[in-house]
């Protein structure tokens, strides 16, 4: 399954920003595997003195952005799973800013964050491998908007690409 299979009616227009960053030629599972390598290599390459850097007082540090990527993947994996099981229960929104302080991301080592990321990513890949294409086409409701199971997965890939771009542009 590729991002070109995704229809605009499967997700809220806000998410087009993330979906547009996913390569048209890449399959869903391949995107997750390649994304893992890119994320790990990218965060391992950041100098230690930049990991807690903020380009403005009210912005997250690099470690907090990494934790945000991990937390968002957890949320979207849950959405993908619930929708793929054809659960019609509306899924609550996710207020990303509320997650940062309790995450204690700046107290974690980059090694710990990478380990956490790899664990979450591996779980998502296993979930995707367990689903049929027909499961990924189910439509649910997340944050009071339409979302397909596969849209939740593709959004996850694009979301991390977006944050790498932001870090490169504003933090390094």
């Amino acid at each position: 399954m590729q991002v070109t299979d995704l229809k605009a009616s499967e997700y809220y227009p806000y998410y087009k920003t993330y979906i547009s960053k996913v390569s048209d030629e890449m399959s869903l599972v391949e995107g997750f595997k390649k994304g893992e390598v890119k994320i790990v290599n990218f965060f391992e390459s950041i100098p230690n003195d930049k990991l807690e850097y903020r380009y403005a007082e009210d912005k997250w540090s690099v470690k907090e952005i990494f934790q945000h990527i991990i937390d968002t993947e957890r949320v979207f994996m849950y959405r993908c799973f619930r929708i793929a099981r054809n659960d019609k229960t509306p899924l609550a929104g996710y207020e990303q800013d509320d997650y940062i302080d309790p995450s204690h991301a700046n107290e974690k080592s980059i090694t710990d964050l990478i380990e956490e990321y790899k664990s979450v990513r591996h779980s998502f890949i296993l979930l995707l491998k367990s689903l049929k294409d027909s499961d990924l086409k189910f439509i649910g409701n997340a944050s009071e908007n339409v979302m397909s199971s596969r849209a939740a997965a593709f959004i996850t890939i694009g979301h991390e690409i977006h944050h790498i771009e932001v870090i490169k542009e504003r933090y390094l």
Side-chain angles (χ1 to χ4, degrees):
M1 180 163 299
Q2 297 176 306
V3 74
T4 53
D5 298 323
L6 199 58
K7 296 173 182 63
S9 62
E10 294 180 50
Y11 56 88
Y12 185 66
Y14 167 84
Y15 293 116
K16 180 71 174 165
T17 302
Y18 302 131
I19 291 168
S20 67
K21 296 184 181 300
V22 180
S23 169
D24 290 346
E25 294 83 38
M26 197 174 302
S27 73
L28 195 50
V29 172
E30 178 187 12
F32 271 79
K33 289 179 178 179
K34 287 186 175 185
E36 178 182 357
V37 172
K38 284 182 184 177
I39 284 286
V40 169
N41 289 341
F42 177 72
F43 280 98
E44 285 179 336
S45 76
I46 297 175
N48 284 336
D49 64 329
K50 289 287 191 177
L51 292 173
E52 293 179 27
Y53 171 74
R54 301 166 193 269
Y55 70 89
E57 188 177 317
D58 62 335
K59 297 299 179 183
W60 297 339
S61 71
V62 171
K63 282 183 178 179
E64 289 171 332
I65 293 170
F66 195 9
Q67 185 69 64
H68 165 70
I69 290 169
I70 295 165
D71 289 348
T72 299
E73 185 150 336
R74 285 183 169 118
V75 169
F76 277 76
M77 178 173 41
Y78 181 69
R79 289 175 175 184
C80 177
F81 167 70
R82 293 268 309 264
I83 296 167
R85 293 293 195 253
N86 210 13
D87 185 341
K88 299 296 186 193
T89 308
L91 300 170
Y94 155 59
E95 181 47 60
Q96 62 189 15
D97 291 321
D98 292 346
Y99 281 60
I100 293 301
D101 285 341
S103 77
H104 308 288
N106 288 325
E107 297 171 22
K108 298 176 183 179
S109 71
I110 195 64
T111 303
D112 288 343
L113 286 165
I114 288 170
E115 180 182 11
E116 185 176 349
Y117 171 81
K118 285 180 171 181
S119 176
V120 173
R121 177 53 54 106
H122 182 70
S123 293
F124 209 153
I125 290 169
L126 290 174
L127 171 64
L128 292 170
K129 286 180 172 181
S130 76
L131 299 173
K132 296 179 187 235
D133 284 353
S134 58
D135 301 330
L136 289 164
K137 292 178 184 176
F138 286 133
I139 304 289
N141 182 299
S143 299
E144 300 179 2
N145 293 290
V146 169
M147 181 175 288
S148 71
S149 181
R150 64 186 178 180
F154 280 119
I155 290 165
T156 302
I157 296 170
H159 177 259
E160 69 184 15
I161 294 168
H162 163 77
H163 281 293
I164 286 177
E165 291 171 354
V166 169
I167 292 170
K168 285 179 179 178
E169 179 183 314
R170 299 180 186 162
Y171 289 79
L172 301 179

